[in-house]
């Protein structure tokens, strides 16, 4: 196989170890992902030290698998891409070192990619190019951000969460409701049996036309609803999820999900209005949520914007989005050298 546009991508920002081979920015030749979800489940969240060790154990195997599946050899590769920010620092370093080794041995450029920008590019994979400008909502276990995307590589941060990420709120509420980890899919399922109007949980819209998010009040409201307020706890009348019927648990799940999805939808609409975006993009693990997908489809029809949501396998962390986006950087002549550093937090 030959072609100047083949990029090998590496992704280890959080708890998925992934490698992918992508041609010309959109054609995914292979996408290998090793999920660590089972390792973290009993802790109810990602444990950074466990994550970086697991990346070390899996990264070579994922690279080997992606190269084998795509039939790609070193002479086919135009560049090596890596998600080098933002993420868990120990995890980022594993992918960065692996990518540097490949770039050095193959004598090809290294391209560092912002992981959240890659999420916003994911709808283009195995699909049509995105019509810009676009308003992108990226919501996962680690981030909740709104962007104006002028092109695949020109993104402006419009707003972000001031406390918990949306996926984190799903995970924590699922823990309160004893629904297991990861919480998003569990709440999504439980919500189908509940009434979204059963409990009027707060929608934190923040002041003015703010495009930032806050989910901690909603999370606390669910906690108090299920366990009782601190006053009630002091008086010994605290409840627990075990006092709720299955129907009541489903109602709380559906009402929480409705409040969170409403907030995301309202902010995305504000962003679209403020920027005149032709396209709405939703990405990240929370983009798998049934209610969110339906709400954004409806919003797109209402405001006459195209809606681009990635296939499920490209909503969650993967390296195809990293390699795909890097192709646009390469075309623009933007490459990095082997001194490229990993950065845990970036606000842009
Ligand atoms: O993007 P991702 O795989 O990893 C990062 O956090 O970067 O996102 C995982 C998050 C978890 O918090 C999970 O609960 C949430 O996405 N999630 C969902 C759904 N599926 C996954 N949240 C709501 N509804 C879902 N169906
Ligand atoms: Zn992610």
């Amino acid at each position: 196989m030959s072609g100047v546009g083949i990029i090998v991508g590496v992704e280890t920002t959080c708890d998925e170890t992934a490698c992918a081979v992508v041609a010309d920015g959109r054609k995914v030749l292979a996408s290998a992902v090793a999920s660590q979800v089972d390792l973290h489940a009993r802790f109810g969240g990602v444990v950074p030290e466990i994550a970086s060790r697991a990346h070390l154990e899996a990264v070579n195997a994922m690279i080997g698998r992606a190269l084998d599946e795509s039939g790609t050899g070193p002479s086919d590769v135009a560049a090596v891409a890596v998600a080098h920010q933002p993420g868990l620092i120990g995890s980022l370093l594993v992918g960065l070192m692996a990518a540097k080794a490949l770039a050095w041995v193959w004598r090809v450029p290294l391209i560092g990619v912002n992981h959240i920008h890659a999420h916003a590019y994911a709808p283009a994979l195995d699909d049509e190019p995105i019509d810009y400008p676009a308003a992108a909502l990226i919501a996962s276990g680690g981030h909740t951000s709104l962007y104006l995307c002028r092109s695949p590589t020109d993104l402006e941060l419009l707003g972000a969460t001031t406390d918990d990420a949306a996926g984190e709120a799903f995970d924590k509420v699922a823990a309160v409701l004893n629904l297991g980890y990861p919480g998003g899919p569990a709440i999504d399922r439980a919500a189908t049996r509940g009434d979204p109007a059963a409990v009027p949980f707060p929608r934190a819209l923040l002041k003015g036309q703010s495009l930032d998010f806050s989910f901690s009040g909603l999370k606390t409201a669910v906690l108090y609803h299920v366990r009782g307020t601190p006053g009630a706890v002091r008086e010994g009348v605290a409840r627990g999820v075990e006092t709720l019927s299955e129907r009541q648990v489903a109602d709380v799940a559906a009402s929480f999900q409705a409040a969170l999805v409403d907030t995301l939808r309202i902010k995305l609409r504000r962003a679209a209005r403020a920027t005149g975006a032709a396209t709405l993009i939703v990405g990240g693990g929370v983009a798998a949520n049934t209610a969110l997908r339906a709400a954004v489809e409806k919003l797109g029809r209402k405001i006459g914007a195209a809606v681009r949501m990635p296939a499920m396998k490209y909503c969650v962390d993967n390296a195809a989005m990293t390699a795909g986006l890097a192709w646009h950087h390469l075309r623009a002549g933007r490459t990095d050298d082997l001194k490229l550093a990993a950065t845990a937090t970036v606000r842009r």
Side-chain angles (χ1 to χ4, degrees):
M1 178 178 305
S2 70
V4 288
I6 290 184
I7 296 189
V8 172
V10 179
E11 149 68 46
T12 61
T13 58
C14 186
D15 61 340
E16 264 88 28
T17 317
C19 179
V21 182
V22 178
D24 300 332
R26 284 186 291 124
K27 192 168 186 303
V28 182
L29 304 179
S31 176
V33 182
S35 169
Q36 303 175 5
V37 71
D38 294 342
L39 292 178
H40 302 290
R42 71 192 175 98
F43 301 103
V46 178
V47 183
E49 288 77 6
I50 294 177
S52 41
R53 275 173 194 276
H55 284 307
L56 261 182
E57 285 164 15
V59 72
N60 287 344
M62 289 305 107
I63 292 168
R65 188 190 296 175
L67 294 176
D68 282 354
E69 275 177 19
S70 62
T72 304
S75 61
D76 303 318
V77 179
V80 175
V82 61
H84 71 121
Q85 62 182 20
L88 302 170
I89 193 69
S91 294
L92 288 165
L93 284 170
V94 176
L96 182 60
M97 292 309 148
K100 282 183 180 180
L102 291 177
W104 184 67
V105 171
W106 292 342
R107 305 264 178 243
V108 294
L110 178 71
I111 303 172
V113 164
N114 177 309
H115 170 75
I116 312 185
H117 295 189
H119 270 302
Y121 180 73
L125 297 171
D126 289 336
D127 210 324
E128 296 300 312
I130 295 165
D131 196 9
Y132 294 97
L137 166 70
I138 308 304
S140 76
H143 26 80
T144 303
S145 309
L146 268 174
Y147 286 92
L148 163 63
C149 313
R150 297 188 187 88
S151 77
T153 55
D154 181 0
L155 283 81
E156 182 185 332
L157 183 67
L158 302 173
T161 183
T162 53
D163 41 55
D164 290 353
E168 198 180 347
F170 270 103
D171 294 337
K172 288 176 178 169
V173 165
V176 169
L177 295 177
N178 237 343
L179 291 173
Y181 175 86
I187 292 203
D188 203 342
R189 270 193 306 276
T192 57
R193 299 186 295 274
D195 174 7
V199 191
F201 287 128
R203 274 85 171 144
L205 298 178
L206 306 176
K207 58 182 180 313
Q209 288 296 302
S210 170
L211 293 173
D212 285 331
F213 302 92
S214 168
F215 299 115
S216 66
L218 171 58
K219 192 183 62 185
T220 309
V222 175
L223 185 72
Y224 288 177
H225 181 83
V226 174
R227 300 217 181 129
T229 58
V233 172
R234 267 196 305 280
E235 284 160 28
V237 290
R239 303 181 302 264
V241 70
E242 60 286 349
T243 64
L244 301 186
S245 67
E246 209 174 297
R247 176 65 211 233
Q248 284 170 315
V249 169
D251 282 347
V252 173
S255 301
F256 157 76
Q257 180 174 277
L260 194 139
V261 167
D262 265 1
T263 314
L264 295 177
R265 174 183 50 80
I266 291 167
K267 301 274 166 155
L268 183 59
R269 190 183 59 201
R270 277 185 192 172
R273 200 175 279 156
T275 59
T279 304
L280 303 178
I281 292 172
V282 183
V286 179
N289 186 265
T290 321
L292 178 62
R293 292 179 88 91
V296 175
E297 290 288 4
K298 197 169 157 196
L299 172 62
R301 281 194 300 275
K302 195 169 157 196
I303 66 172
V307 173
R308 300 293 306 270
M309 290 186 277
M312 250 21 156
K313 63 184 171 187
Y314 302 135
C315 281
V316 294
D317 287 350
N318 66 88
M321 61 188 192
T322 314
L325 175 56
W327 183 77
H328 294 273
H329 285 298
L330 184 63
R331 274 208 325 172
R334 216 220 96 231
T335 62
D336 293 289
D337 61 30
L338 295 179
K339 293 201 283 288
L340 181 68
T343 317
T345 1
V346 265
R347 203 187 141 88
R348 68 182 158 74

